[in-house]
Amino acid sequence: MSNIRVRFAPSPTGHLHIGGARTALFNYLFARHNNGIFILRIEDTDTSRSTEEYIEAIIEGMKWLKLSWDEGPYRQTERFDAYKSYIEKLLQEGKAYYCYCTPEELEQRRKEAIEKGMPQKYAGRCRSLTEPVSDKPFAVRFKMPQEGTTVVTDLIRGVVEFDNSQLEDLVIMRSDGTPTYNFVVVVDDIDMKITHVIRGDDHLNNTPKQMHIYRAFGWEPPQFAHLPMILGSDKTRLSKRHGATSVMAYKETGYLPDALVNYLVRLGWSHGDQEVFTRDELIKYFTIENIGKSAAVFNPEKLLWLNSQYIINEDTKSLAEMAMPFLIKEGIIFEGQQIDIEWLSKAVNTLKERSRTLVELAASLKYYILEYVDIDPKAKEKFLKPENLNSLSELREILSGVSDFTAIELERVFHNFADERSIKLGAIAQPVRVAITGGTASPGLFEVLEIVGKEKILKRLSKVIEG
Ligand code: GLU
């Protein structure tokens, strides 16, 4: 085990989304690659926006993607005592101070600053108070340096310099006694011995502030790696306008978790030209050096393509098992219905190459499972004309006498049938396909017939013949 320790630190103010999942994945892969520790930390200090439901949803999303963590979930709301003692320490050492400015005063001064074209940061009125003011509510502010520069040497972005004159004395505890985000992140990262902070680049501007807080406690900041943004196809920040952004929406629409993981990793990271990776390969190859600097563009078509690749390569039986909840949801089978998984696997095997999602797979499995199928009206008009029905009736008669109901035998029967009547095979095969599957496209007909089975085939043909 190395000493590398990383964390995914979501704020539970929404579901696990594409961007958050990518951050979680990169932390997970970095930890696994380096034999380190991956921590899950729920940043729920903003109690007005955090909910238990979102905490559960985030955990559910992580589990679905199989991003297992080694420690946690820790919750910031359970660590208020720790934050208090860290604040005490800063106050005692004169690195933080009580601020009695009221929100109204601050607002007034902000307005004045705007009018005068001055910077809007806190001007430091309470910084030089030497005695506490009794009976007035107070916040606690951290003394930021006001001169010089702060250099962030980011593992992805390189050297980024910040002018300290831009930094204001940060409120680290509000007047209601709750600690603030930039402060608790640092305390947690210190207590949890975080060595690398891998997070979205929307936090890059917070980094210089956090670095000063680390140093005030006598700690060297961890290494930072700020991930490039994820954009939609129109090059604006990825949002719901670009399609589903919640991870669980992909579960519901029939994506395989490994396909989504594979897609997410390529949003910013690469390994030569390789597109499809096993989990073991990802762990083996993952390094921060191979994360690009430029923004990644979310491409739903590529994700769909990857999903189809994962479906093709998935073990057929486990694919059949994965299809079950979708079959239930579509009303094709009912909850608790006994279904022979070996038989279902055979059906799945014929559909693997033709299904891009589990939803598409389940929709096609319908004609294997149900007694009768709905027939597409256009296909009916074209292929189930009265003259075809006579042939179908003759064929049904022959099929009812076939005892070896296998693809090979059925192929022979169909060829004989066509030869004897001097018609093309398609002239009988296509009407049968429509009668059995409800449409004009399906896997190889004889295989379908074998798997659907004699009894259901005869029933469906009768129904079509009788009209
Ligand atoms: N809680 C922050 C967020 O959800 C992450 C903070 C961090 O990674 O440092 O954006």
Side-chain angles (χ1 to χ4, degrees), residues 44 76 98 110 116 132 139 173 203 266 303 370 388 431 451:
D44 55 351
Q76 290 185 325
Y98 296 110
R110 204 180 61 83
K116 292 184 193 150
M173 191 184 87
H203 287 290
R266 293 283 292 106
L303 171 55
L370 295 179
N388 301 124
I451 299 168

Side-chain angles (χ1 to χ4, degrees), residues 7-13 17 23 27 41-43 76 181 185 189 197-200 202-203 206 210 224 226:
R7 83 298 195 279
F8 173 51
S11 304
T13 54
H17 55 86
T23 301
N27 276 285
R41 180 170 86 214
I42 305 292
E43 305 212 316
Q76 290 185 325
Y181 162 71
V185 163
D189 286 345
V197 169
I198 305 170
R199 62 184 172 192
D202 47 333
H203 287 290
N206 287 324
Q210 296 178 2
F224 292 98
H226 286 93

Side-chain angles (χ1 to χ4, degrees), residues 13 17 25 52 79 85 123 133 186-187 217 247 270 399 445 450:
T13 54
H17 55 86
L25 172 64
E52 290 301 318
R79 291 182 33 78
S85 71
V133 180
V186 173
V187 172
F217 290 118
V247 163
S270 59
L399 290 178
L445 180 65
E450 175 183 328

